[in-house]
């Protein structure tokens, strides 16, 4: 990842209020950002992004990952395959079973392991 690539990606929360975390990858953005753009990590798997069904306002801690492939924190959080951005350490809530089935095998594994950690 180059500096230009990181600067081109605008997936950090734009406001400190109304933040939500994706239940699958834990990306943190505002409600409005999720409404407009969906989740950049999950949009290839989810044909339509439902903010209420795929995110939660109940999360703990935030980690800023600038170079996920180089970060020991990203490895610890199983987030090294995700885009740079802000991520919740823990989320409360679950995706519907049919939603989990359409995720890639790697995202399914991450989701299941994250559920076990909570």
């Amino acid at each position: 990842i180059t500096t230009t690539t990181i600067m081109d990606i605008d997936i950090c929360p734009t406001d400190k209020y109304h933040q939500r975390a994706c239940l699958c990858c834990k990306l943190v953005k505002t409600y409005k950002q999720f409404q407009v753009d969906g989740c950049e990590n999950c949009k290839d798997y989810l044909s339509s992004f439902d903010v209420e069904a795929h995110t939660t306002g109940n999360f703990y801690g935030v980690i800023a990952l600038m170079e996920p492939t180089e970060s020991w924190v990203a490895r610890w959080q199983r987030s090294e395959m995700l885009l740079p951005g802000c991520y919740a350490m823990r989320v409360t809530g679950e995706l519907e079973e049919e939603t989990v089935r359409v995720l890639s095998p790697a995202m399914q594994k991450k989701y299941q392991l994250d559920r076990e950690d909570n």
Side-chain angles (χ1 to χ4, degrees):
I1 297 177
T2 66
T3 305
T4 306
T5 306
I6 292 170
M7 293 174 69
D8 288 343
I9 301 171
D10 184 17
I11 54 174
C12 290
T14 56
D15 190 357
K16 65 181 178 179
Y17 302 105
H18 312 293
Q19 291 183 355
R20 298 183 68 82
C22 176
L23 287 167
C24 181
C25 70
K26 302 182 188 176
L27 178 67
V28 175
K29 300 193 309 183
T30 64
Y31 189 95
K32 184 172 178 113
Q33 286 175 293
F34 277 119
Q35 275 184 317
V36 173
D37 300 321
C39 178
E40 286 79 358
N41 291 306
C42 302
K43 69 169 73 175
D44 292 341
Y45 315 113
L46 305 174
S47 58
S48 64
F49 193 84
D50 180 350
V51 178
E52 295 295 328
H54 299 140
T55 68
T56 180
N58 192 0
F59 61 90
Y60 171 80
V62 177
I63 299 167
L65 294 178
M66 300 312 295
E67 295 187 34
T69 58
E70 304 292 323
S71 170
W72 69 266
V73 174
R75 284 192 302 277
W76 171 57
Q77 289 289 307
R78 293 180 287 275
S79 300
E80 60 269 41
M81 75 287 221
L82 303 177
L83 294 170
C86 295
Y87 292 87
M89 290 177 65
R90 288 206 171 108
V91 296
T92 301
E94 293 186 13
L95 290 169
E96 293 181 9
E97 202 170 304
E98 62 190 47
T99 303
V100 175
R101 276 189 248 130
V102 300
L103 298 173
S104 72
M107 290 300 277
Q108 284 181 6
K109 182 177 179 180
K110 176 180 174 19
Y111 178 77
Q112 296 301 332
L113 290 171
D114 288 346
R115 298 281 79 52
E116 293 172 11
D117 288 348
N118 288 339

